[in-house]
């Protein structure tokens, strides 16, 4: 099937801009982070970031009627936030609650809402109309939304986004480099990988999803 990409000409312009930003900012920062920060510390940072998505995952599993998984996700968040010291340590996995991730875009997909046109978000990356709308709804489930009112509140989300970008990019340096080297059309390859990954996540085909890069 042909991908739903009616905005391809605009998407390619944004994709090229994002690639230039990646080469001159995100990739150097991620490479420096991977080279200078010890692996265990990077692992703890990733744990904290992943833990913050726990309530989002739990809420979406409830909406999907997957109450057992919702309980596991909520249990993970409570255990790792308390026993795991604000999520620094992933205690819950050792206690039989493995990490899973769900979002409202996937929830919409499970009830048959189509992805809609593919989008490349400036300073972001691959998305689709359904997933972009879903990310807005997910914001209401994020614990950072309910951080107390104080003058530094806007910076909390900014720090989380910057750390998340650096963490994700550092974990995918070799993956994206190999994809780019082996692609005749890097834009089309990334688009197809994104759409395939989202479709497989909706179908909960975790083994097949593992073959694709994590966006």
């Amino acid at each position: 099937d042909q991908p739903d990409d009616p905005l391809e000409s605009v998407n390619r312009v944004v994709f090229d801009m994002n690639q230039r930003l990646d080469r001159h900012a995100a990739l150097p920062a991620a490479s420096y982070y991977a080279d200078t920060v010890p692996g265990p510390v990077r692992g703890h940072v990733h744990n904290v970031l992943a833990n913050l998505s726990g309530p989002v995952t739990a809420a979406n599993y409830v909406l999907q009627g997957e109450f057992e998984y919702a309980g596991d996700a909520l249990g993970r968040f409570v255990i790792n936030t308390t026993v795991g010291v604000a999520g620094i340590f992933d205690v819950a996995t050792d206690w039989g609650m493995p990490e899973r991730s769900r979002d409202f875009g996937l929830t919409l997909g499970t009830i048959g809402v189509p992805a809609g046109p593919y989008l490349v978000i400036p300073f972001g990356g691959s998305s689709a109309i359904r997933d972009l709308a879903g990310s807005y709804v997910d914001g209401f489930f994020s614990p950072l939304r309910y951080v107390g009112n104080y003058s530094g509140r806007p910076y909390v989300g900014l720090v989380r986004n910057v750390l998340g970008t650096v963490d994700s990019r550092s974990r995918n340096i070799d993956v994206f480099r190999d994809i780019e080297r082996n692609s005749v059309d890097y834009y089309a390859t990334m688009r197809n990988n994104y759409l395939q990954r989202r479709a497989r996540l909706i179908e909960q085909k975790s083994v097949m999803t593992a073959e694709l890069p994590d966006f």
Side-chain angles (χ1 to χ4, degrees):
D1 293 342
Q2 289 294 320
D4 186 3
D5 193 5
L7 301 173
E8 181 173 350
S9 58
V10 176
N11 282 335
R12 284 185 179 274
V13 171
V14 178
F15 181 81
D16 289 341
M17 180 194 72
N18 286 349
Q19 287 304 110
R20 288 194 294 271
L21 289 170
D22 181 72
R23 285 192 294 270
H24 296 293
L27 179 57
S31 298
Y32 180 81
Y33 176 73
D35 291 340
T36 59
V37 178
V41 176
R42 298 199 308 273
H44 294 324
V45 171
H46 177 75
N47 288 344
V48 171
L49 295 170
N51 190 56
L52 290 172
S53 68
V56 174
T57 294
N60 278 288
Y61 270 130
V62 168
L63 294 174
Q64 293 173 31
E66 298 278 3
F67 300 112
E68 182 178 349
Y69 287 159
D72 284 348
L74 186 58
R76 275 185 60 83
F77 179 72
V78 172
I79 290 168
N80 285 346
T81 300
T82 54
V83 181
V85 191
I88 294 174
F89 302 100
D90 183 7
V91 179
T93 294
D94 295 334
W95 290 8
M97 300 179 197
E99 180 182 351
R100 297 184 179 90
S101 180
R102 302 300 277 179
D103 57 60
F104 195 64
L106 297 176
T107 296
L108 292 174
T110 62
I111 61 173
V113 176
Y118 174 73
L119 299 172
V120 180
I121 309 300
F123 312 107
S126 295
S127 188
I129 293 292
R130 180 193 64 206
D131 298 336
L132 182 62
S135 66
Y136 175 78
V137 175
D138 286 332
F140 290 96
F141 300 129
S142 172
L144 292 182
R145 183 178 181 86
Y146 304 100
V147 172
N149 246 338
Y150 64 97
S151 59
R153 179 177 178 177
Y155 298 104
V156 174
L158 177 61
V159 170
R160 187 256 177 267
N161 290 337
V162 170
L163 281 176
T165 299
V166 173
D167 172 66
S168 176
R169 191 64 182 88
S170 68
R171 296 165 71 89
N172 287 283
I173 290 174
D174 293 333
V175 173
F176 288 137
R177 181 182 294 134
D178 289 343
I179 291 175
E180 185 171 10
R181 285 174 177 171
N182 296 317
S183 297
V184 175
D185 184 343
Y186 189 34
Y187 166 83
T189 301
M190 293 296 283
R191 175 192 62 199
N192 294 340
N193 281 343
Y194 175 80
L195 295 175
Q196 288 179 42
R197 179 179 175 83
R198 295 296 290 180
R200 291 176 183 180
L201 284 171
I202 289 169
E203 297 167 1
Q204 301 202 49
K205 294 182 178 178
S206 58
V207 175
M208 296 175 69
T209 302
E211 301 169 358
L212 298 168
D214 185 7
F215 290 85

